[in-house]
């Protein structure tokens, strides 16, 4: 078996065997297959595609290239969720405590933000003292004791994916469904949970720009889950505007706390209820998402979800005084109110541009190691379909450097369009995918 023959085979559109895929993943991860040959194979895959068997085998080989979390010591069905990225996406901070408060273990590994998309780990680390680098032993202990832990991804989690993604990023081979799906699912499967709910975002602020593409990616990832013996669902959610109202790290923690206290924006609440609802359905707690939603609303109303979040923060070293009183979070030194310069209805919002505004303000990063300002960000008041009069507040921008605000405001203003005629509000959730296919709500 050699790489030249495998590249040639895929170049002609032929299927690769399981052993050939395993050879490629191991050889590249171990450094025995050079970048130039791997780049050629990745381009051949982009041009000729992979079927679901090839994609599933690739995913499992990438999963097995590093350590796989063993959650067997934790009783019951373990649940996890993952988002393909968005702007203002603080869903994990809300869904985790909701589900855990009902006694379902949530053992989650999350990533940091990059570019216009935020990261759960960065948001949690804006809570003073909060640690996302706890040991595996403490991680497992926390999940056993209180059903919830969220940590950063370990260096040995799917190392093949890290090497492959770095190469795809510089060889124009990122946008292939099989490669995207295997990258996401290799890490999720390595995290060890039994039930996985994927939030596949679509729109201007998402990686998948159309609903059709989002459904295709969702179906591929669910099928990979079936091959791996897992229960996987994928929710298709809209990302053509900010989810909720805040963008930025401590700002999103504050909004998550408000949501757990029953004060969530409707779009954010809807997304959380469906995603958490499918986690309950997958674990056999409820038969339908509608039934699960009612159960979840009760855990917010009776305060148990908020108490679970507080317990979770304390267990990972966070100062719960900031959760009890969010006014304690450090405020940005400077702010600027963005006011409407004309009457009209918000017609469109480019969520990616809004995300870029947060990067300009210091809330996001362009490179993995860049520092971020936890207090920077945006309080966004406008949604598609909302009516504003000239002079009304569209947003408030926050930064620790005053000189950032002018550019950020101009960039923000370019992110939306206004219509004189009424505009229909956006749909938050298009539907979900399970092993039988796509289902609209």
């Amino acid at each position: 078996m050699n790489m030249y023959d495998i590249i040639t085979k895929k170049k002609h559109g032929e299927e690769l065997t399981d052993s050939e895929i395993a050879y490629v993943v191991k050889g590249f991860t171990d450094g025995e297959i050079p970048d130039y040959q791997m780049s050629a194979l990745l381009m051949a895959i982009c041009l000729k595609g992979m079927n679901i068997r090839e994609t599933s085998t690739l995913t499992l080989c990438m999963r097995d290239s590093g350590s796989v979390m063993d959650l067997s010591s934790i009783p019951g069905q373990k649940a996890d969720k993952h988002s393909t990225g968005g702007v203002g996406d603080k869903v994990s901070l809300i869904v985790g405590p909701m589900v855990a408060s009902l006694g379902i273990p949530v053992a989650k590994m999350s990533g940091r933000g990059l570019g216009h998309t935020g990261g759960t780990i960065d948001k949690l680390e804006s809570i003073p003292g909060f640690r996302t680098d706890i040991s595996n032993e403490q991680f497992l202990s926390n999940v056993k004791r209180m059903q919830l832990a969220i940590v950063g991804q370990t260096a040995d989690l799917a190392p093949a994916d890290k090497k492959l993604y770095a190469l795809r990023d510089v060889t124009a081979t990122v946008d292939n469904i099989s490669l995207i799906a295997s990258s996401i699912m290799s890490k999720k499967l390595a995290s060890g949970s039994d039930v996985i709910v994927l939030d596949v975002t679509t729109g201007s602020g998402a990686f998948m720009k159309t609903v059709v593409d989002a459904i295709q990616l969702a179906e591929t990832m669910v099928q990979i889950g079936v091959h791996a013996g897992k229960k996987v669902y994928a929710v298709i959610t809209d990302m053509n505007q900010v989810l909720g109202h805040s963008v930025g790290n401590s700002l999103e923690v504050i909004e998550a706390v408000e949501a757990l206290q029953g004060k969530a924006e409707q779009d954010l609440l809807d997304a959380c209820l469906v995603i958490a609802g499918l986690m309950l359905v997958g674990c056999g707690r409820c038969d339908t998402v509608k039934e699960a939603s009612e159960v979840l609303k009760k855990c917010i109303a009776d305060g148990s979800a908020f108490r679970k979040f507080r317990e979770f923060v304390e267990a990972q070293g966070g100062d719960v005084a900031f959760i009890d009183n969010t006014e304690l979070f450090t405020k940005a030194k400077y702010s600027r109110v963005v006011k409407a310069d004309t009457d009209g209805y918000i017609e469109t919002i480019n969520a990616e541009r809004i995300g870029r505004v947060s990067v300009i303000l210091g809330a996001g990063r362009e490179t993995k190691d860049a520092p971020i300002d936890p207090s920077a960000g945006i309080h966004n008041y406008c949604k598609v379909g909302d009516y504003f009069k000239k002079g009304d507040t569209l947003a408030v921008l926050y930064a620790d450097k005053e000189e950032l605000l002018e550019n950020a405001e101009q960039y923000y203003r370019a992110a939306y369009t206004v219509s004189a005629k009424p505009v229909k509000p956006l749909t938050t959730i298009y539907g979900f995918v399970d092993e039988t296919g796509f289902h609209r709500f």
Side-chain angles (χ1 to χ4, degrees):
M1 194 177 297
N2 67 76
M3 195 62 174
Y4 181 91
D5 291 339
I6 292 171
I7 295 169
T8 301
K9 191 174 181 180
K10 181 50 68 177
K11 182 179 73 172
H12 292 300
E14 298 176 36
E15 291 184 32
L16 302 182
T17 66
D18 291 352
S19 59
E20 287 170 334
I21 293 170
Y23 167 82
V24 168
V25 173
K26 186 177 187 307
F28 182 63
T29 305
D30 293 346
E32 296 167 1
I33 293 173
D35 283 1
Y36 59 85
Q37 285 191 312
M38 194 68 222
S39 298
L41 180 59
L42 289 170
M43 187 59 74
I45 290 170
C46 282
L47 296 174
K48 298 297 183 178
M50 298 181 94
N51 62 27
I52 190 59
R53 179 199 57 79
E54 290 176 291
T55 305
S56 297
T57 299
L58 174 62
T59 305
L60 296 178
C61 289
M62 289 164 63
R63 176 198 68 182
D64 296 338
S65 66
S67 63
V68 177
M69 182 66 73
D70 181 5
L71 303 179
S72 60
S73 63
I74 302 169
Q77 293 272 92
K78 278 71 69 176
D80 193 4
K81 60 82 59 181
H82 173 80
S83 171
T84 57
V87 182
D89 181 359
K90 67 284 295 179
V91 170
S92 292
L93 305 182
I94 303 165
V95 162
M98 288 168 66
V99 174
S101 73
L102 297 167
I104 295 173
V106 179
K108 179 165 176 53
M109 292 185 179
S110 293
R112 298 190 181 278
L114 187 61
H116 75 279
T117 62
T120 298
I121 293 301
D122 296 319
K123 293 164 192 175
L124 287 170
E125 288 181 347
S126 72
I127 304 170
F130 192 97
R131 290 186 56 205
T132 60
D133 60 348
I134 60 176
S135 67
N136 282 350
E137 292 74 22
Q138 187 178 347
F139 176 75
L140 293 172
S141 174
N142 285 5
V143 179
K144 286 180 189 176
R145 180 168 57 85
M146 59 177 191
Q147 289 74 53
L148 178 61
I150 302 177
V151 295
Q153 293 172 354
T154 59
D156 59 349
L157 187 79
D161 175 60
K162 292 182 179 67
K163 286 196 70 174
L164 280 169
Y165 192 87
L167 191 59
R168 288 166 58 209
D169 195 37
V170 296
T171 56
T173 52
V174 169
D175 58 344
N176 171 272
I177 292 291
S178 289
L179 296 177
I180 296 168
S182 60
S183 175
I184 293 170
M185 289 301 292
S186 64
K187 296 189 286 287
K188 283 292 102 182
L189 294 175
S191 297
S193 289
D194 306 297
V195 177
I196 302 167
V197 177
L198 304 161
D199 179 4
V200 182
T201 56
T202 180
S204 60
F207 187 72
M208 310 308 290
K209 301 300 183 186
T210 69
V211 174
V212 170
D213 286 345
I215 293 172
Q216 185 183 358
L217 174 60
E219 289 176 338
T220 301
M221 293 192 292
V222 169
Q223 289 177 56
I224 291 170
V226 171
H227 276 75
K230 302 289 186 180
K231 178 77 74 172
V232 181
Y233 302 92
V235 184
I236 313 300
T237 62
D238 183 80
M239 193 50 70
N240 282 299
Q241 58 187 355
V242 173
L243 185 63
H245 61 69
S246 62
V247 185
N249 297 290
S250 64
L251 294 177
E252 292 191 46
V253 171
I254 293 168
E255 185 175 6
V257 169
E258 292 170 349
L260 290 167
Q261 293 173 332
K263 297 173 283 189
E265 293 265 341
Q266 193 62 49
D267 62 338
L268 178 59
L269 177 62
D270 290 344
C272 290
L273 289 175
V274 171
I275 292 165
L278 284 169
M279 293 168 80
L280 267 60
V281 170
C283 290
R285 184 62 62 88
C286 297
D287 294 327
T288 65
V289 173
K290 184 177 180 181
E291 178 191 344
S293 293
E294 295 307 312
V295 174
L296 291 161
K297 287 176 185 175
K298 288 178 183 176
C299 80
I300 293 176
D302 66 17
S304 57
F306 172 72
R307 290 193 297 272
K308 183 60 67 175
F309 183 68
R310 191 180 185 282
E311 182 185 9
F312 152 68
V313 168
E314 187 171 37
Q316 292 191 214
D319 187 344
V320 292
F322 286 74
I323 307 306
D324 295 334
N325 179 12
T326 57
E327 289 296 317
L328 294 175
F329 277 98
T330 302
K331 307 293 190 298
K333 291 179 183 177
Y334 302 97
S335 64
R336 176 170 295 193
V337 177
V338 181
K339 295 185 176 182
D341 51 16
T342 185
D343 297 354
Y345 297 87
I346 302 296
E347 183 175 28
T348 63
I349 299 175
N350 186 314
E352 181 174 354
R353 287 190 73 93
I354 300 292
R356 290 292 173 190
V357 172
S358 73
V359 176
I360 292 169
L361 293 167
R365 56 169 69 86
E366 291 289 4
T367 61
K368 286 191 302 181
D369 301 319
I372 58 172
D373 174 6
S375 66
I378 307 160
H379 191 106
N380 191 75
Y381 289 93
C382 64
K383 298 279 189 182
V384 170
D386 288 349
Y387 179 77
F388 285 84
K389 292 183 178 180
K390 183 177 180 179
D392 285 350
T393 298
L394 296 173
V396 182
L397 313 180
Y398 300 95
D400 262 359
K401 296 179 181 178
E402 190 173 17
E403 63 269 21
L404 300 175
L405 294 172
E406 181 64 32
N407 185 31
E409 179 181 353
Q410 297 309 311
Y411 215 83
Y412 184 90
R413 288 188 179 281
Y416 67 91
T417 60
V418 177
S419 169
K421 298 179 181 180
V423 176
K424 184 180 178 181
L426 296 176
T427 297
T428 303
I429 302 168
Y430 296 98
F432 73 95
V433 174
D434 62 14
E435 58 188 69
T436 66
F438 177 64
H439 308 274
R440 291 191 181 277
F441 279 110

